[in-house]
């Protein structure tokens, strides 16, 4: 009936199906029904079978035989079940949720083929999902599936993802083993939140959507989920055990990455745990997140070098469809990344100035030949002071031990103290440049000084270096001040105590020399050596910690000044000199022996141009020529005593003569010498004989007003002449005063004209002119003892002599006049000091008047003409005109002829004769101190007048002629020769001894008056007439 055809039954997929009370007429046990899709018509044979509806036959959907449940007359009901009596597959219905036809076949028919079931018995509503549904989630994301379709779906239904339904082949890393949360939205929406919206991290691929109804047992067991209703696509990497390797310090690329549904723009992160924002790996670029993938999501790269520690890390994937900007978005563990490299964070210690090496470096994939470079920041550049630019020798012991400089000969590290990055490079890549070393394996603590330090000391003062910087410095560290810290250039530095080595104190931050330094101004290296190292020779101090600026002059400078000029030196060089610095010229710096006759007590008076121009002006220097020390004192020091000037900055060459020289000359001779001493003397320079250098006039007696000819023989030969440069020397005048004169020097050569005394300001010493300092003239009376002198003089000796030379001659021209001292040279008598000498002549040596030059011989030997080696034996040796000897009296040696009995008048020639002079005649053989002889009428006048019983002297005729006096003798009665004895009026002429002068001989010719001749008258008479000076006529 129609009503019967409208029967409707409900079953649920994923469980056995049975229906009861199928109504009909004449139904019977053994009937069967078959579930078909659209119709029970036989022409649908090929489209009516419902797959996965169990049956005891090999045709889906045929029920077991019917069981009658009720029958009344022709009305009856049946119960049906499927796959209870037996099954060719399984008992549970696993067909697609839908509305199907219940097609009936009466017992008695075969009921084995679908075509046997043509009676439409009603509708079978199978609760369950539609088949062939396709859903997609992205690995790493929260997975929610909506729009699930089916029949009779309900909230609480569940889906489980399995590789195959009704198995325990679960999908790895799917939340809750793939079991969904209870469905919502009438069974159309499913999630896998697991009470926390846990993202799925399953391998990419496609899986089965397996269904379980809300009323069924839907525990987390794949056997409970038998209905395969479609394909679930997971977009993501696969397999999840992919392995890649990168090297720390290099770019990292992941290629040939595999997966399902990969796309450009997908990204990887390298991390310690996928999805954990706290598990990021240090020193991976961008927090370990790669750039967007290329080549359809199979190629990944990072924008910068990877410098992470060696180790094995996870490769975690994030789809391009997701916001992959945080580490927690990378939930999909795609495999492992092996990073070849050292473990990070190690710390090692080395000491600057020594060799450096260490061991126990650990990591993953380390190998012999790996290298470490010391850098301030890995990949940035080399650190100064490391052998081979800081690149280690190849590692040994499987990459765990490193050292520096062994392959270069065991060089020391000389870098600054501090903490440095140890930057690693694998032997598998190139490790020749700083940028190859990008992985910081840890920190190297370098004990040592900071470099580039700048300290200042001042030469001539104690040197204290404060606030010396460094890392882990200690007392006992040392520094050496040197021009360079390089072993081949390092050397001990002059001017510092202890060879420039200082010992640190105050935790190695203070270095000092308590004694004053005398080093050259300049910028030096402070070379450091650690406590405990030898620190004895320069090559122990290889760590250059910076510069020590020594304020002061450069040493060994050579400067020149010229005596007699203002001393000014230019280009005086040094370090940080000041206009207030001072120079003191000393024989030895720091001693009291100053350069004499240098203005301002040898201390400079002014400096200009930052201390490079130094002057002793405005006064001129008259210092001795020679080599002196330029001793410097900084403006910051008192500079008040010689002890402040200990810095010897070099040599001041003073061009000029030595002081305190002594030369000797004699009046009347050429004054010349060849041993003039000095420094830097030149031909053409001149000397002037002065009483005081720079003042007055040239000394009397010297040619050319006392100015010498130009020097010759390299400035050593001087002489006085016409002032030329030739050797035409002239003699000094004989009346040149003896004395000690100044040898005053002038440099000439454009510096001074040398034509006046003011140009001759340098006192080179003494020129001793030996002889009387001044002429002393003597006036004597003839026949009287006479003292010549006394003379104050220079160079006197007891061998000196004097000679009286007739006034008409010059000294050295004529020999001693015989009228004085019989022409003999007279010895001198001197005081003990030989400063005053005199000579004397006796009365008999001064019998004759006249004017004579007193010529003095200062123990001189004329080597050119002397016949012996005894001084003062020749006229040429009496060079000095010492004065005049004037003897009042007759010139002497006159003969006065007279005749007996005839008046005799004589005229006596003489010198300074006077009308009060007297004469007397004595026998020729008698001395003049005897009484006048008788027989001379003029001498008997007093007797004749009865005034005296003795003879008298005779006065001259009165006249004004003092060169000649006339005396009348009368007729002398007795022949013979009479000595005319003269008395000058300066004497009393009373004392017989006053008549010492001898004017000559009065020759009285005539027969002897006392003879008796006898003749006989008439006889021839011949007599022998006897007398004096009788002549033939």
């Amino acid at each position: 009936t129609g009503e019967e055809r409208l029967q409707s039954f409900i079953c649920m997929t994923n469980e056995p199906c049975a229906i009861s009370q199928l109504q009909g007429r004449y139904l019977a046990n053994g009937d069967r029904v078959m579930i078909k899709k659209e119709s029970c018509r036989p022409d649908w044979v090929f489209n009516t079978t419902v797959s996965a509806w169990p049956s005891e036959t090999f045709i889906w959907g045929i029920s077991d035989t019917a069981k009658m449940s009720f029958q009344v007359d022709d009305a009856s009901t049946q119960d049906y079940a499927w796959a209870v009596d037996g099954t060719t597959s399984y008992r549970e219905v696993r067909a697609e949720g839908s509305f199907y036809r219940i097609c009936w076949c009466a017992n008695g028919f075969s009921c084995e083929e679908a075509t046997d079931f043509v009676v439409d018995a009603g509708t079978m509503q199978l609760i369950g999902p539609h088949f062939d549904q396709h859903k997609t989630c992205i690995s790493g994301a929260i997975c929610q599936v909506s729009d699930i379709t089916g029949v009779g779906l309900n909230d609480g239904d569940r889906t489980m993802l399995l590789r195959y339904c009704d198995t325990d082949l679960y999908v790895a890393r799917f939340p809750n083993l793939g079991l969904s949360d209870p469905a919502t939205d009438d069974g159309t929406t499913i999630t896998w939140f697991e009470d926390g919206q846990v993202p799925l991290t399953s391998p990419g691929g496609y899986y089965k959507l397996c269904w379980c109804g809300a009323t069924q047992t839907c525990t987390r067991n794949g056997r409970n989920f038998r209905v395969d209703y479609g394909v679930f696509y997971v977009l993501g990497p696969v397999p999840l055990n992919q392995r890649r390797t990168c090297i720390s310090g290099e770019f990292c690329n992941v290629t040939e990455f595999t997966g399902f549904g990969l796309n450009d723009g997908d990204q990887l992160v390298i991390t310690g745990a996928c999805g954990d924002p706290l598990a990021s790996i240090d020193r991976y670029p961008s927090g370990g997140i790669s750039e967007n993938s290329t080549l359809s999501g199979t190629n990944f790269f990072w924008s910068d070098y990877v410098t992470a520690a060696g180790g094995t890390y996870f490769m975690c994937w994030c789809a391009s469809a997701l916001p992959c900007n945080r580490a927690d978005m990378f939930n999909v563990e795609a495999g492992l990344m092996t990073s070849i490299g050292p473990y990070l964070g190690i710390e090692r210690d080395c000491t600057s100035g020594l060799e450096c090496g260490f061991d126990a470096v650990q990591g993953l994939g380390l190998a012999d030949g790996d290298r470490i470079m010391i850098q301030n920041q890995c990949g940035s550049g080399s650190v100064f002071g490391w052998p081979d630019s800081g690149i280690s020798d190849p590692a040994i012991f499987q990459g765990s031990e490193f050292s520096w400089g062994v392959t270069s000969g065991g060089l020391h590290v000389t870098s600054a103290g501090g903490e440095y990055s140890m930057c690693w490079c694998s032997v598998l890549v190139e490790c020749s440049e700083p940028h190859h070393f990008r992985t910081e394996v840890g920190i190297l603590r370098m004990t040592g000084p900071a470099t580039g330090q700048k300290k200042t000391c001042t030469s001539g003062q104690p040197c204290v270096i404060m606030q010396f910087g460094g890392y882990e410095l200690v007392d006992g560290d040392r520094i050496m001040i040197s021009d360079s810290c390089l072993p081949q250039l390092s050397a001990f530095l002059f001017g510092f105590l202890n060879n420039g080595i200082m010992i640190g104190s105050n935790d190695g931050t203070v270095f000092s020399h308590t004694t004053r330094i005398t080093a050259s101004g300049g910028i030096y290296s402070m070379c450091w050596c650690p406590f405990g190292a030898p620190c004895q020779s320069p090559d122990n101090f290889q760590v250059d910690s910076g510069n020590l600026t020594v304020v002061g002059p450069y040493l060994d400078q050579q400067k020149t000044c010229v005596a007699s000029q203002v001393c000014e030196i230019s280009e005086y060089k040094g370090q940080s000199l000041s206009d207030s610095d001072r120079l003191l010229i000393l024989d030895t710096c720091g001693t009291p022996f100053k350069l004499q006759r240098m203005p301002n007590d040898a201390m400079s008076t002014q400096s200009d141009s930052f201390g490079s121009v130094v002057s002793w002006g405005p006064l001129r220097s008259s210092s001795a020529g020679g080599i002196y020390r330029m001793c410097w004192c900084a403006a910051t020091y008192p500079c008040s005593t010689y002890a402040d000037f200990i810095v010897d900055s070099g040599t001041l060459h003073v061009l000029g003569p030595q002081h305190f020289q002594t030369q000797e000359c004699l009046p009347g001779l050429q004054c010349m010498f060849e041993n003039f001493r000095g420094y830097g003397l030149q031909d053409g320079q001149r000397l002037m004989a002065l009483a005081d250098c720079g003042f007055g006039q040239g000394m009397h007696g010297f040619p050319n007003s006392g100015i010498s000819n130009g020097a010759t023989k390299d400035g050593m030969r001087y002489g006085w002449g016409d002032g030329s440069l030739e050797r035409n020397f002239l003699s000094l005048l004989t009346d040149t005063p003896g004395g000690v004169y100044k040898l005053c020097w002038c440099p000439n050569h454009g510096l001074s004209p040398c034509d006046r005394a003011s140009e001759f300001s340098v006192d080179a010493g003494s020129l001793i002119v030996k002889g009387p300092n001044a002429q002393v003239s003597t006036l004597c009376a003839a026949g009287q003892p006479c003292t010549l002198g006394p003379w104050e003089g220079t160079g006197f000796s007891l061998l000196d002599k004097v000679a009286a030379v007739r006034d008409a001659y010059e000294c050295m021209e004529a020999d001693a006049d015989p009228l004085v001292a019989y022409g003999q040279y007279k010895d001198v008598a001197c005081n003990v000091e030989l400063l005053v000498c005199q000579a004397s002549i006796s009365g008999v040596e001064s019998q004759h008047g006249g004017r004579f030059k007193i010529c003095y011989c200062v123990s001189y030997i004329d080597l050119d003409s002397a016949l012996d080696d005894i001084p003062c034996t020749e006229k040429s040796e009496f060079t000095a005109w010492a004065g005049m000897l004037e003897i009042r009296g007759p010139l002497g040696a006159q003969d006065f002829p007279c005749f007996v009995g005839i008046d005799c008048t004589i005229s006596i020639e003489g010198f300074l004769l006077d009308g009060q002079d007297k004469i007397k005649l004595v026998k020729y053989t008698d001395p003049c101190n005897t009484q006048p002889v008788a027989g001379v009428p003029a001498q008997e006048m007093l007797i004749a007048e009865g005034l005296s019983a003795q003879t008298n002297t005779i006065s001259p005729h009165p006249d004004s002629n003092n060169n000649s006096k006339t005396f009348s003798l009368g007729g002398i009665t007795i022949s013979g020769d009479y000595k005319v004895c003269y008395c000058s009026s300066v004497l009393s002429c009373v004392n017989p001894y006053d008549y010492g002068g001898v004017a000559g001989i009065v020759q009285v010719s005539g027969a002897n008056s006392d003879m008796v001749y006898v003749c006989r008258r008439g006889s021839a008479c011949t007599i022998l007439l006897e007398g004096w000076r009788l002549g033939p006529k």
Side-chain angles (χ1 to χ4, degrees):
T1 64
E3 293 80 2
E4 293 170 341
R5 286 179 174 268
L6 294 177
Q7 295 181 83
S8 178
F9 297 93
I10 298 174
C11 278
M12 182 177 291
T13 189
N14 195 45
E15 65 184 17
C17 182
I19 60 177
S20 61
Q21 297 182 359
L22 174 70
Q23 298 177 11
R25 291 179 182 277
Y26 310 110
L27 303 177
N29 290 328
D31 296 341
R32 291 177 184 268
V33 294
M34 179 179 179
I35 303 302
K36 291 187 178 182
K37 285 187 178 182
E38 301 292 339
S39 171
C40 294
R41 295 172 54 188
D43 53 338
W44 285 64
V45 63
F46 297 110
N47 293 309
T48 59
T49 302
V50 178
S51 297
W53 200 293
S55 172
E56 63 178 351
T57 70
F58 290 100
I59 296 177
W60 292 112
I62 298 176
S63 70
D64 297 340
T65 56
K67 302 291 192 293
M68 294 301 295
S69 60
F70 177 78
Q71 183 169 4
V72 178
D73 296 329
D74 60 344
S76 59
T77 60
Q78 293 176 318
D79 295 333
Y80 286 91
W82 280 263
V84 174
D85 295 338
T87 180
T88 58
S89 57
Y90 32 73
R91 294 189 66 244
E92 301 86 0
V93 175
R94 302 185 184 184
E96 178 180 14
S98 185
F99 290 91
Y100 299 105
R101 306 316 301 168
I102 303 174
C103 301
W104 180 82
C105 175
N107 184 17
F109 292 90
S110 63
C111 297
E112 295 179 354
E113 297 295 334
T115 55
D116 295 335
F117 297 85
V118 295
V119 178
D120 189 342
T123 300
M124 171 62 76
Q125 179 184 356
L126 182 63
I127 296 173
H130 294 152
F131 282 8
D132 295 325
Q133 297 188 61
H134 294 270
K135 303 298 178 181
T136 302
C137 277
I138 300 173
S139 188
I142 303 297
C143 186
Q144 175 175 310
V145 176
S146 58
D147 296 328
I148 300 294
T149 61
V151 175
L153 300 180
N154 287 292
D155 292 346
D157 296 342
R158 289 179 182 258
T159 295
M160 192 171 191
L161 297 183
L162 296 168
R163 292 188 179 274
Y164 298 98
C165 296
D166 191 21
T167 68
D168 55 3
L169 297 177
Y170 305 108
V171 178
R173 305 180 186 175
F174 213 95
N176 202 25
L177 282 181
L179 176 63
S180 73
D181 302 324
T184 60
D185 298 331
D186 296 326
T188 63
T189 299
I190 56 176
T191 62
W192 285 265
F193 291 171
E194 199 181 30
D195 298 327
Q197 298 191 3
V198 176
L200 67 92
T201 58
S202 302
Y206 47 89
Y207 305 100
K208 299 298 186 180
L209 286 166
C210 303
W211 187 86
C212 177
T215 59
Q216 299 172 351
T217 301
C218 298
T219 60
R220 191 171 60 183
N221 188 327
R223 298 294 180 177
N224 295 327
F225 293 81
R226 307 174 186 90
V227 179
D228 180 353
Y229 69 91
V231 178
F232 184 83
Y233 299 100
V234 175
L235 305 183
V238 64
L240 298 184
N241 60 352
Q242 300 183 60
R243 301 184 70 92
R244 298 292 186 272
T245 299
C246 285
I247 300 173
S248 186
E250 301 297 316
F251 282 112
C252 184
N253 295 321
V254 174
T255 60
E256 299 181 1
F257 189 78
T258 58
F260 183 81
L262 303 181
N263 288 291
D264 288 349
D266 296 343
Q267 291 177 282
L268 287 178
V269 69
I270 307 301
T271 182
C274 294
D276 185 353
L278 300 179
S280 61
I281 305 300
D282 288 340
R283 304 181 190 175
Y284 247 95
S286 303
I289 299 175
S290 72
E291 300 297 310
N292 292 335
S293 63
T294 59
L295 301 178
S296 299
T298 64
N299 185 51
F300 296 84
F301 63 96
W302 281 259
S303 61
D304 203 349
Y305 296 100
V306 174
T307 59
T312 300
Y313 307 107
F314 292 106
M315 294 189 296
C316 304
W317 181 86
C318 179
S320 60
L322 302 176
C324 302
N325 56 354
R326 303 193 316 270
D328 59 349
M329 297 301 297
F330 291 80
N331 300 300
V332 182
E333 183 183 309
L336 297 177
M337 169 65 75
T338 298
S339 179
I340 295 176
Y343 298 154
L344 307 184
I346 68 172
E347 295 182 353
R348 296 292 185 268
D349 295 289
C350 283
T351 300
S352 190
L354 303 177
E355 295 179 359
C356 181
F358 47 80
D359 58 8
V361 175
Q362 298 178 339
L364 182 65
L366 302 184
D368 290 351
D370 294 343
R371 293 179 186 264
I372 286 178
M373 184 175 184
I374 305 302
Q375 297 177 305
N376 287 313
Q377 182 177 352
C378 291
S380 62
S382 60
V383 174
F384 177 80
W386 282 81
D388 301 317
S389 299
I391 299 176
S392 71
D393 301 326
I396 57 177
F397 299 127
Q398 298 180 333
S400 66
E401 184 169 316
F402 294 83
S403 61
W404 279 261
V406 174
T407 57
S408 301
L411 300 179
H412 292 181
V413 177
T414 60
S415 68
E419 295 185 352
Y420 297 96
S421 295
M422 296 185 291
C423 306
W424 181 88
C425 180
S426 171
V427 69
L428 301 175
V429 297
E430 185 177 356
C431 299
S432 60
E433 298 294 334
H435 63 269
H436 297 152
F437 294 81
R438 307 177 185 97
T439 300
E440 182 180 79
V441 64
I443 298 300
L444 178 72
R445 294 187 295 258
M446 176 61 69
T447 297
T451 58
Q453 300 185 65
K454 296 184 183 297
K455 305 296 181 183
T456 300
C457 285
T458 300
S459 192
Q461 301 178 24
C463 182
V464 179
I465 297 173
M466 306 287 290
Q467 297 180 342
F468 187 81
Y471 186 83
E472 300 294 337
L473 303 180
V474 297
D475 291 351
D477 293 341
R478 286 168 166 78
I479 61 171
M480 183 183 79
I481 309 303
S482 180
D483 288 324
S484 172
C485 299
L486 296 176
Q488 63 271 28
L489 299 177
S490 179
F492 293 136
L493 184 65
F494 171 80
F496 280 90
L497 184 68
N498 195 29
N499 292 323
I501 297 174
M502 300 180 178
I503 301 176
S505 61
N506 198 23
D507 295 328
T509 63
V510 176
F511 295 86
S512 63
H513 271 166
T514 56
T515 58
R516 292 183 290 169
I517 65 173
T518 58
S520 173
I523 299 177
Y524 300 98
S525 294
M526 296 186 292
C527 307
W528 185 85
C529 179
F531 175 71
C535 302
Q536 295 177 343
S537 64
D539 58 0
N540 299 140
F541 294 82
Q542 297 185 19
V543 182
D544 191 339
S545 62
N547 294 331
L548 174 67
T549 298
V550 175
V551 175
Y554 298 156
L555 305 187
D556 300 322
Q557 299 189 62
Q558 305 292 320
K559 302 299 178 183
T560 301
C561 284
V562 179
S564 82
Q565 306 297 307
V566 173
C567 184
E568 180 176 289
I569 60 176
S570 59
E571 296 186 12
Y572 184 75
K573 298 180 179 179
Q575 180 67 45
S576 304
L577 300 182
S578 163
D579 287 349
S580 297
D581 298 339
R582 288 290 178 263
L583 281 180
L584 183 65
I585 307 304
L586 298 171
D587 282 338
T588 301
C589 292
T591 67
F593 303 107
K594 300 176 184 178
L595 177 58
Q596 299 300 310
R597 304 183 192 173
M598 193 75 167
N600 198 36
D601 207 18
M603 187 183 295
S604 62
T605 55
Q606 59 186 25
S607 296
D608 295 305
S609 302
F610 302 102
S612 65
V613 178
V614 184
S615 174
W616 281 258
L619 299 180
R620 297 188 179 195
S621 165
S622 58
S623 302
I627 297 175
Y628 305 97
R629 311 316 302 168
M630 296 185 292
C631 304
W632 181 87
C633 178
T636 55
Y637 220 56
C639 304
S640 57
T641 69
Y642 64 86
D644 297 332
F645 293 82
I646 65 172
V647 180
D648 188 338
S649 62
T651 302
L652 178 65
H653 301 269
V654 176
L655 305 183
Q658 292 182 12
H659 288 172
F660 308 110
Q661 300 186 61
T662 300
Q663 303 294 344
E664 293 184 354
C665 286
L666 294 175
L669 300 178
Q670 291 182 357
C671 186
M672 186 273 292
F673 39 84
E674 297 184 346
N675 61 342
F676 189 73
R677 300 181 305 278
Y679 182 78
L681 301 181
Q682 299 181 24
D683 292 350
Q685 295 168 347
R686 295 180 185 268
L687 289 174
M688 187 174 186
L690 292 167
D692 193 2
C693 291
F695 302 95
Q697 301 295 323
M699 299 311 298
H700 170 75
F702 281 82
N704 195 35
S705 301
I707 299 175
S708 71
N709 287 10
T712 57
K713 197 180 178 183
D714 296 327
M716 296 176 63
R717 178 190 290 126
Y718 281 89
W720 276 259
D722 60 1
S724 68
L725 298 178
E726 304 299 327
R727 292 187 59 188
N728 52 346
F729 302 137
L730 302 177
S731 297
L732 303 185
L733 298 181
T734 56
D735 63 349
T736 302
V740 179
Y741 301 108
K742 301 289 188 182
L743 279 174
C744 303
W745 181 85
C746 178
N748 209 340
H749 294 289
L751 297 174
S752 300
C754 300
D755 59 358
R756 56 187 178 274
S758 60
E759 303 291 342
F760 293 83
S761 60
V762 181
D763 184 351
S766 299
L767 176 60
I768 299 175
V769 177
K770 298 174 69 174
N773 293 349
Q775 291 185 337
V776 177
S777 294
T778 302
L779 177 62
C780 295
Q784 300 301 309
C786 186
T787 297
L788 307 183
W791 293 281
E792 293 182 359
T794 304
F796 287 160
S797 80
L798 295 178
L799 297 177
D800 295 350
K801 294 181 183 296
V802 296
V805 177
R806 195 173 293 273
D807 184 40
Y809 301 101
E810 299 293 335
C811 293
M812 303 173 61
E813 249 179 42
D815 214 336
D817 196 298
L819 294 180
V820 179
Y822 308 109
Q824 295 178 351
Y825 305 138
K826 298 298 292 183
D827 293 330
V828 297
C830 305
N831 64 1
V832 175
E833 295 83 5
L834 296 177
L835 297 178
V836 179
C837 294
Q838 65 184 27
S840 63
I841 54 177
S842 64
V844 294
E845 294 175 326
S846 61
Q847 295 176 352
H848 306 292
R851 182 180 176 86
F852 305 92
K853 288 185 173 71
I854 303 173
C855 298
Y856 197 101
C857 171
V858 189
S859 60
Y860 168 58
I861 300 175
D862 185 359
L863 298 178
D864 291 333
S865 62
L867 301 177
D868 54 43
D869 56 359
I870 300 174
C872 304
T873 57
E874 297 188 41
K875 63 180 181 181
S876 60
E877 296 171 348
F878 291 79
T879 63
W881 180 13
M884 298 300 296
L885 172 61
E886 295 178 324
I887 301 177
R888 298 171 66 103
L891 296 181
Q894 290 182 259
D895 292 329
F896 304 104
C898 288
F899 300 96
V900 173
I902 300 174
D903 287 337
C904 181
T905 299
I906 62 175
S907 293
I908 297 176
E909 303 294 326
F911 179 73
L912 295 179
L913 302 182
D914 186 79
Q916 301 301 316
D917 293 346
K918 305 288 185 181
I919 67 170
K920 68 178 178 177
L921 275 60
V922 298
K923 290 181 180 180
Y924 178 72
T925 57
D926 290 340
C928 283
N929 58 4
T930 58
Q931 284 295 107
V933 297
V936 179
Q939 295 184 153
E940 294 178 337
M941 291 178 62
L942 294 178
I943 297 174
E945 294 175 357
L947 298 177
S948 175
Q950 294 184 348
T951 54
N952 57 271
T953 58
I954 305 169
S955 295
H957 297 175
D959 61 37
S960 60
N961 187 355
N962 57 7
N963 293 322
S964 177
K965 291 299 178 183
T966 301
F967 295 86
S968 294
L969 303 180
I972 300 173
T973 62
I974 301 172
S975 65
D977 287 345
Y978 299 92
K979 185 185 300 181
V980 181
C981 296
Y982 201 92
C983 174
S984 175
S985 63
V986 297
L987 302 174
S988 66
C989 296
V990 174
N991 191 328
Y993 289 95
D994 292 342
Y995 292 85
V998 177
I1001 304 297
V1002 175
Q1003 301 169 334
V1004 179
S1005 301
N1008 290 338
S1009 62
D1010 57 352
M1011 295 297 292
V1012 177
Y1013 302 99
V1014 178
C1015 287
R1016 290 180 180 179
R1017 191 183 299 270
S1019 298
C1021 185
T1022 302
I1023 62 175
L1024 179 62
L1025 185 65
E1026 295 181 2
W1028 182 252
R1029 297 185 182 275
L1030 300 179
K1033 296 183 178 182

